[in-house]
Amino acid sequence: MKLLIAGSSVEDMIHTNGKVLNQPGGMFYVASAVDALKEDGDEIFMLTNLSEKQKHLYFPLYERFNRSLVNIVDQLPVNHLLIHEKGEREEKYEYLTEKIKFDPAALSDLNLRGVLVNLITGFDFTPDDLKTIKSITQAPVFLDIHSRARSFSEDGNRDFAKIDDIDQWAASVDILQANETEILCCGTGEIEESIVENILNLGVKIVLVTKGDLGVRMYYRKDGEINSLFAKAIKVETINKVGCGDVFGAAFFLNWLRTGDAVKALYAGNAAGAVISTYKTTEQIENLKKDVDSLLYEK
C-alpha cells in the first residue's frame, strides 16, 4: 500500500508542571504512528518541510519514509504548548512558515491508496491544494482540521476561531477529524450535531470528533440517515497528553484503508490514542502496534 502523509513538522516546547520539554512535534506523531503500524511492502511518502538545524529532532525516524516530496527550509515553526490538567491546551507559535509547497506533477504517478493531511499549523495547505491533491491522486483524503480552527495573532497566540471556508475544505475530504472544541469552529452553528450534519451534507463520508478522556464519536450517513457511534475512552494511566489525536487519526485511517470497516477502525484508533497517552517518551511509539493489539485482543 502506498500512502501520503502531509503536514508541518514543528519543534515543540511543552510547558507542564513548571517544566519545559523540547521535542519534535507536528507530523512527528503522525509519522511515528504510521511507521509503527505499517506492514511489509508499504511505502509511505512524506510531504512536509524540514530544516537542517532542526533535523536532529526527526531523524532517524524520517529516514524510513520516501522523502522525495520534502522541502528544505531555513527554520521550522516552534510551538509553545501550555498543557493544563483540564480543558484545552494553549498554543503560541514562533517562526510560523508559509504553506508547504509541492509540484502537482510529482503526485501523478504515485498510485496512492490514501492521503492523510494534518493541518498542524493551520496554514500548511489551502483548500485549493487539497482539491489538486484529490484530483490528481483520486485517493481517499483524511483531514485532521487541527489548528485550522485557531486564529493567529501578531504575538503568535493561537485562539479558537470559526472556519469561514469549511465548505471549501470539505469539498475534497472523505474523512474529517476534529476534537470537541475544533468541531464547533467548523460551521456557523453552535451545536455539534448540526455542524456535523452540514459537513456530511457537503460530501464528507465520516466525521470523527475526539473528546479527550471521554472517548470519540464517529458520525456517518447510512440509508440517508445520520448515525453516530461512540467509543468510550479506554481507562489507562495517562502520562502524556500530546499527539494523542494525531496517533488516533493515523491508526483509524490505516485500519480503514486496509479493512474498509469504519467500526473496526474506530476501535483501533481509540486504542492507539489510549496507548500513546501512557508513553513516557516518544521512543516508545515504536511499540504501538504490539500495545494496541494487546489492548484490543488480549483482555
Side-chain angles (χ1 to χ4, degrees):
M1 179 173 72
K2 292 185 177 182
L3 176 70
L4 173 66
I5 58 175
S8 296
S9 299
V10 306
E11 181 175 354
D12 277 349
M13 303 293 288
I14 301 173
H15 303 251
T16 182
N17 298 323
K19 299 179 181 179
V20 180
L21 177 64
N22 175 229
Q23 65 182 45
M27 286 302 289
F28 178 83
Y29 292 98
V30 175
S32 295
V34 169
D35 182 61
L37 298 171
K38 72 178 187 295
E39 297 180 353
D40 291 343
D42 287 347
E43 184 175 12
I44 315 299
F45 294 82
M46 296 194 75
L47 177 54
T48 191
N49 292 338
L50 281 179
S51 165
E52 286 295 332
K53 68 180 179 180
Q54 291 156 295
K55 184 177 179 180
H56 65 282
L57 294 168
Y58 298 92
F59 286 77
L61 172 65
Y62 281 16
E63 289 178 347
R64 300 194 281 273
F65 296 86
N66 186 312
R67 302 187 306 281
S68 59
L69 302 174
V70 169
N71 303 300
I72 302 300
V73 297
D74 292 334
Q75 170 75 49
L76 295 180
V78 176
N79 188 14
H80 292 266
L81 302 170
L82 284 71
I83 308 299
H84 306 295
E85 279 296 318
K86 297 291 183 180
E88 284 285 353
R89 68 196 187 195
E90 296 176 62
E91 296 189 12
K92 183 173 182 177
Y93 266 82
E94 296 178 280
Y95 312 111
L96 189 62
T97 54
E98 297 179 0
K99 72 185 186 76
I100 300 168
K101 299 176 181 178
F102 66 97
D103 178 7
L107 301 174
S108 60
D109 297 322
L110 297 185
N111 296 316
L112 296 171
R113 179 79 175 278
V115 176
L116 188 159
V117 178
N118 194 315
L119 298 177
I120 299 294
T121 68
F123 302 98
D124 322 62
F125 302 99
T126 66
D128 282 343
D129 290 333
L130 249 64
K131 182 179 180 180
T132 297
I133 291 171
K134 177 72 172 180
S135 175
I136 291 174
T137 66
Q138 293 295 302
V141 173
F142 180 107
L143 177 67
D144 187 337
I145 207 71
H146 208 138
S147 291
R148 189 68 188 87
R150 290 180 183 264
S151 63
F152 183 77
S153 63
E154 290 184 1
D155 60 4
N157 285 322
R158 308 295 306 273
D159 298 320
F160 285 102
K162 290 286 189 178
I163 304 171
D164 57 11
D165 57 353
I166 191 63
D167 56 332
Q168 295 179 47
W169 288 103
S172 305
V173 173
D174 297 271
I175 302 172
L176 185 143
Q177 177 182 330
N179 70 25
E180 58 188 337
T181 305
E182 294 161 357
I183 195 66
L184 298 179
C185 297
C186 294
T188 57
E190 303 297 331
I191 300 173
E192 178 176 309
E193 288 78 9
S194 62
I195 289 174
V196 169
E197 180 178 8
N198 178 61
I199 293 171
L200 292 172
N201 287 341
L202 291 170
V204 176
K205 298 180 178 67
I206 297 171
V207 176
L208 301 163
V209 182
T210 59
K211 299 177 180 289
D213 56 7
L214 295 178
V216 56
R217 184 170 294 279
M218 177 174 69
Y219 294 90
Y220 58 98
R221 195 180 294 278
K222 183 177 180 181
D223 299 328
E225 299 292 329
I226 295 175
N227 290 262
S228 73
L229 176 64
F230 186 75
K232 188 177 180 180
I234 300 170
K235 291 185 178 180
V236 294
E237 182 182 358
T238 299
I239 297 172
N240 164 62
K241 292 186 176 182
V242 178
C244 300
D246 302 326
V247 171
F248 164 83
F252 179 97
F253 193 43
L254 278 174
N255 195 283
W256 181 80
L257 287 173
R258 295 193 197 285
T259 68
D261 189 324
V263 175
K264 287 183 178 179
L266 176 67
Y267 286 106
N270 193 43
V275 164
I276 191 179
S277 74
T278 68
Y279 290 161
K280 294 180 179 179
T281 66
T282 55
E283 287 80 7
Q284 290 178 273
I285 302 176
E286 66 183 23
N287 302 317
L288 186 65
K289 188 177 188 307
K290 172 179 66 69
D291 293 340
V292 166
D293 288 345
S294 177
L295 202 59
L296 287 175
Y297 306 120
E298 297 180 12
K299 289 185 176 182

